[in-house]
Amino acid sequence: MDYATSDARTPLGATADNGLKIVVVGGFGVGKTTLVRSVSEIRPLNTEETMTRAGEAIDDISEVRGKSATTVAFDFGRITLDARNVLYLFGAPGQERFWFLWDRLFSGTLGAVVLVDTRRIDDSWYAIDRLEHHGTPFIVACNDFGGPGHTPAEIREALDLDPHVPLIDCDARSRESSKRVLITLVEHLKTVYAASAGATAPAAEEVTKSPELAL
């Protein structure tokens, strides 16, 4: 299997004391690989393979005609927060045939981003269901594909989102926009863990303080 990477960036440094894990999930072709690639400080590991005609009978590509490659395991990126803390980003594959990998990716996860294409909202149901099943805090980020606009209330109703789950717009191609997504998630994590009886959120607090994520 070939592993595709983006342009050269900062090489990996020494191992940090604390590795904080965040997962990016969502339907097929919603921009998970793009988001990880845009915000990672290192050359991301992308387990992408070229899509073939044989796969058309398995994966529904009717809404992603321009897509030529797809993730078959996971994407991996990294953001150094400070000398002791590193944020690890894992992008989950979107096709139904790879969903069996998700439960393992969720293990040890601090929180998750559900990336949504509002033209295909139904594709987000499984991600939200699995995160709720695992009790993993998450936010929803609507990636901009230039489709018809929807109000936040319409999207919340379509996804049956809890009122406390943050919902934001983003452009996964933009580093600044992707950073805002992560900051929104971390702020949500601090609220969730602070509200949990006897729970603390030191890891989330470290992420929020980090100059790497300051806008």
Side-chain angles (χ1 to χ4, degrees):
M1 180 185 297
D2 294 329
Y3 294 89
T5 56
S6 67
D7 296 336
R9 300 191 187 182
T10 306
L12 283 167
T15 302
D17 294 334
N18 300 311
L20 315 174
K21 180 180 178 183
I22 285 177
V23 174
V24 182
V25 294
F28 178 48
V30 297
K32 300 179 295 296
T33 298
T34 301
L35 187 146
V36 173
R37 182 180 293 144
S38 71
V39 79
S40 176
E41 69 183 16
I42 64 170
R43 295 194 314 172
L45 168 65
N46 302 133
T47 56
E48 287 194 314
E49 290 293 336
T50 301
M51 298 178 65
T52 65
R53 283 191 169 275
E56 292 182 8
I58 303 173
D59 302 321
D60 182 6
I61 63 170
S62 59
E63 299 291 340
V64 287
R65 290 295 183 184
K67 191 171 177 61
S68 60
T70 185
T71 299
V72 296
F74 59 85
D75 304 309
F76 174 77
R78 188 193 77 168
I79 300 174
T80 298
L81 305 177
D82 54 37
R84 299 183 60 243
N85 298 284
V86 172
L87 181 67
Y88 296 117
L89 302 174
F90 289 82
Q95 303 99 306
E96 184 175 352
R97 57 194 166 114
F98 296 126
W99 284 352
F100 70 93
L101 295 170
W102 286 20
D103 287 347
R104 292 188 177 222
L105 282 177
F106 292 164
S107 177
T109 297
L110 189 65
V113 174
V114 178
L115 205 56
V116 173
D117 178 350
T118 55
R119 302 170 303 174
R120 300 179 286 127
I121 287 181
D122 287 350
D123 291 355
S124 308
W125 273 103
Y126 184 78
I128 292 174
D129 177 74
R130 295 315 298 166
L131 289 168
E132 291 179 340
H133 173 78
H134 284 272
T136 303
F138 66 92
I139 68 166
V140 174
C142 297
N143 197 11
D144 182 11
F145 283 92
H150 298 280
T151 67
E154 290 172 337
I155 296 172
R156 284 188 176 278
E157 183 178 359
L159 293 174
D160 193 24
L161 276 186
D162 185 289
H164 300 295
V165 174
L167 172 67
I168 63 172
D169 293 324
C170 78
D171 182 346
R173 299 166 299 180
S174 165
R175 177 173 174 81
E176 291 303 310
S177 182
S178 296
K179 284 167 64 175
R180 290 189 186 95
V181 170
L182 297 182
I183 290 172
T184 301
L185 173 61
V186 169
E187 290 173 345
H188 178 56
L189 292 176
K190 288 183 66 178
T191 301
V192 169
Y193 288 123
S196 299
T200 59
E205 207 166 309
E206 291 293 342
V207 178
T208 306
K209 292 177 179 177
S210 169
E212 286 293 327
L213 287 182
L215 294 175

